[in-house]
Amino acid sequence: MKQYSAEDILRIVNEEDVEFIRLQFTDIFGQLKNVAVTRSQIEKVLNNESMIDGSSIEGFTRIHESDQYLRPDLDTFAILPWQPATRKTARLICDVYNPDGTPFVGDPRGALKRVLARAEAMGYQFNVGPEMEFFLFETDEKGLPTSRTADAAGYFDMAPIDHGGNVRREICLMLEEMGFEIEASHHEVAEGQHEIDFRYADALTAADNITTFRMAVKTIAQSHGLHATFMPKPVYGINGSGMHTNMSLFKDGKNIFFDPNGPKQLSKEAYSFIAGILAHVRGMAAITNPLVNSYKRLVPGYEAPCYLAWSASNRSALIRIPAARGSATRVELRCPDPACNPYLAIAACLAAGLDGIEKNLTPPAEITENIFAMSEEERKAHGIDSLPGNLLEAVECLERDPVIVHTLGEHIYHHYVAGKKREWEEYRTRVTDWELKKYMVVY
Ligand code: GLU
Ligand code: MG
């Protein structure tokens, strides 16, 4: 990532003909928000004097204390390449502060920064590389999204079967203009499904990148008359979209998950980190898999995990250790989905892993067999538990996990759980098409 001073930004704004600056932040459910200012306001922005009224933002403040300040993280300055090429638009990702100068406890970026500070105190830098999957669907005459795609391609297929190649190309080029290093881009298993992977980064940058990525993909798809969705399971009966999350801890510039003399060349810290994730993965599911729809992806048969196990080889496990060693040694968690709030999801993963290290936990034995082929009894015999089966169960697991609750902080926890319970209740009381088809005639 680039490093910018206030002077750099003033200079670039003038040299590059930047007219609008979007000050971005996210609400507790990970929705990207922004207020745009013109260049006439840039000095105020750089002096941390930009004020917003947070009272209408999900999970932000109550009416009587709604004034908040946006403090831009200068290193996130980037020109938005899909905006007009003259009188350009740039963005700055901001931290949210109270009028008294303290960080606002409801800011998800702040929650991630709090856990990162804990890791830093232990000497650790946390690196994260997400694998983002998404669908491209056609829009109807009114421009509204459908769940139709004319694309009949599968894994790694090429054009002309793959209809998304040109859109992916443009996404990659524009993200590179914004400083991303794109490592791979390909058609995924399901019709209309795609994946683009960008290089791992420190956790805060990775979370910022995920929000930028989602905005870029949706915007560029729209300019091609398509609708991009990060909804985890848009179509019944085919693969859903995951956000496999690759994680590693560095100390003094060295990847501490690697130990040439350890079992499978993994260090004690790596094993404890895995054990910590396994201990808290049910408690953090409401964060990593935040929607009613998320749990329709986490079912057997679609390359998504359901059971709590780790493996160095086996893709059916929740946690996989990819083959690379040395500085690329990493733990891949396969349950998160791309609808999550990346700040909170990454914060929860780190807190879980650190808890494993602090408590010196050891994980259960590696599972090398295909877990999906095991019967329930066999899984029981191996001590293999399951991920929560739905959003309500996930919220209840969160309520029982003090490590994850503490990571969110009282404010975010309270608003998040209340919001998710409302979402569940709204879903639970709906009469669905499936029910009508199943019961209307027979009963
Ligand atoms: N789409 C699958 C999922 O839901 C993952 C496929 C893959 O291994 O990349 O996690
Ligand atoms: Mg994939």
Side-chain angles (χ1 to χ4, degrees):
M1 187 173 58
K2 294 220 172 74
Q3 290 191 318
Y4 291 117
S5 65
E7 292 71 44
D8 292 334
I9 290 176
L10 284 173
R11 182 176 43 77
I12 301 170
V13 163
N14 286 322
E15 281 174 9
E16 292 282 335
D17 185 24
V18 172
E19 185 56 44
F20 291 95
I21 296 118
R22 292 193 180 174
L23 306 176
Q24 297 180 351
F25 54 95
T26 56
D27 69 15
I28 64 167
F29 300 113
Q31 207 56 250
L32 194 54
K33 302 279 172 186
N34 82 115
V35 53
V37 298
T38 57
R39 95 210 253 171
S40 65
Q41 303 299 303
I42 186 75
E43 313 236 328
K44 230 159 109 187
V45 169
L46 296 172
N47 281 334
N48 299 329
E49 288 166 17
S50 303
M51 214 173 76
I52 55 161
D53 169 6
S55 60
S56 299
I57 297 164
E58 278 274 23
F60 271 41
T61 51
R62 293 180 297 272
I63 296 292
H64 63 275
E65 46 179 43
S66 60
D67 286 346
Q68 290 166 326
Y69 285 85
L70 297 180
R71 291 198 184 180
D73 180 336
L74 302 188
D75 296 340
T76 66
F77 180 84
I79 292 173
L80 300 178
W82 52 84
Q83 289 282 326
T86 53
R87 312 193 83 183
K88 293 177 187 170
T89 302
R91 71 94 200 268
L92 279 163
I93 298 176
C94 302
D95 294 310
V96 186
Y97 274 73
N98 300 312
D100 67 4
T102 54
F104 169 52
V105 287
D107 177 13
R109 200 171 190 262
L112 175 56
K113 282 183 150 183
R114 287 197 298 273
V115 204
L116 289 173
R118 249 185 70 210
E120 209 177 300
M122 295 165 80
Y124 297 143
Q125 185 192 322
F126 187 45
N127 286 331
V128 174
E131 301 171 26
M132 301 294 284
E133 296 180 334
F134 58 92
F135 278 82
L136 293 175
F137 288 123
E138 288 166 22
T139 50
D140 65 14
E141 320 70 55
K142 291 188 187 129
L144 297 172
T146 69
S147 51
R148 283 194 315 267
T149 167
D151 161 304
Y155 201 47
F156 284 175
D157 271 341
M158 288 178 64
I161 314 171
D162 167 12
H163 288 203
N166 286 339
V167 184
R168 288 203 311 276
R169 175 178 189 277
E170 204 172 310
I171 293 167
C172 293
L173 291 174
M174 289 201 172
L175 287 173
E176 280 187 343
E177 272 184 60
M178 294 183 77
F180 279 62
E181 182 179 334
I182 305 293
E183 292 191 324
S185 148
H186 61 88
H187 200 285
E188 251 299 340
V189 171
E191 292 153 20
Q193 193 186 27
H194 306 272
E195 175 170 328
I196 297 177
D197 304 323
F198 43 89
R199 189 178 160 77
Y200 78 88
D202 68 89
L204 188 65
T205 305
D208 286 343
N209 284 347
I210 291 167
T211 61
T212 304
F213 180 86
R214 293 193 297 211
M215 170 172 63
V217 169
K218 280 184 170 284
T219 307
I220 296 162
Q222 202 172 50
S223 73
H224 287 254
L226 295 169
H227 178 79
T229 185
F230 293 95
M231 180 179 175
K233 184 83 172 188
V235 183
Y236 167 75
I238 58 175
N239 274 16
S241 294
M243 187 186 86
H244 301 172
T245 304
N246 293 272
M247 303 176 276
S248 57
L249 282 177
F250 277 60
K251 195 172 199 168
D252 303 323
K254 278 219 170 75
N255 186 330
I256 60 149
F257 282 177
F258 177 57
D259 176 357
N261 304 315
K264 295 185 190 300
Q265 297 194 308
L266 297 174
S267 67
K268 210 168 127 291
E269 286 89 344
Y271 283 107
S272 291
F273 192 94
I274 294 170
I277 297 274
L278 287 174
H280 295 291
V281 75
R282 284 168 55 79
M284 63 197 211
I287 310 293
T288 52
N289 303 81
L291 309 183
V292 164
N293 183 256
S294 297
Y295 296 85
K296 308 207 165 166
R297 166 177 166 254
L298 302 173
V299 297
Y302 302 99
E303 298 186 274
C306 319
Y307 307 115
L308 274 55
W310 74 277
S311 170
S313 49
N314 189 337
R315 277 168 200 270
S316 70
L318 171 74
I319 295 175
R320 190 171 80 90
I321 314 297
R325 289 292 182 272
S327 68
T329 311
R330 59 193 191 267
V331 169
E332 174 189 338
L333 181 63
R334 292 173 63 85
C335 60
D337 70 53
C340 69
N341 180 330
Y343 299 100
L344 298 183
I346 292 173
C349 288
L350 176 58
L354 289 183
D355 190 54
I357 292 178
E358 280 170 335
K359 296 197 178 122
N360 223 340
L361 301 182
T362 42
E366 176 191 9
I367 300 290
T368 47
E369 302 104 276
N370 180 357
I371 308 167
F372 291 110
M374 290 182 187
S375 65
E376 206 180 319
E377 289 71 39
E378 286 171 302
R379 283 200 305 275
K380 263 207 185 112
H382 278 89
I384 302 175
D385 204 351
S386 305
L387 285 170
N390 61 46
L391 183 61
L392 180 65
E393 194 187 334
V395 170
E396 288 166 352
C397 290
L398 168 60
E399 290 174 318
R400 289 195 295 270
D401 191 327
V403 170
I404 307 300
V405 171
H406 176 77
T407 302
L408 300 179
E410 193 49 44
H411 182 103
I412 294 181
Y413 168 68
H414 172 79
H415 285 87
Y416 194 93
V417 164
K420 289 297 154 186
K421 283 190 170 166
R422 275 197 306 274
E423 191 174 331
W424 175 259
E425 205 47 29
E426 215 183 296
Y427 167 68
R428 193 182 70 84
T429 52
R430 283 284 184 282
V431 178
T432 62
D433 288 348
W434 178 87
E435 286 162 279
L436 292 175
K437 268 200 203 113
K438 186 98 177 162
Y439 305 134
M440 187 67 125
V441 174
V442 179
Y443 297 95

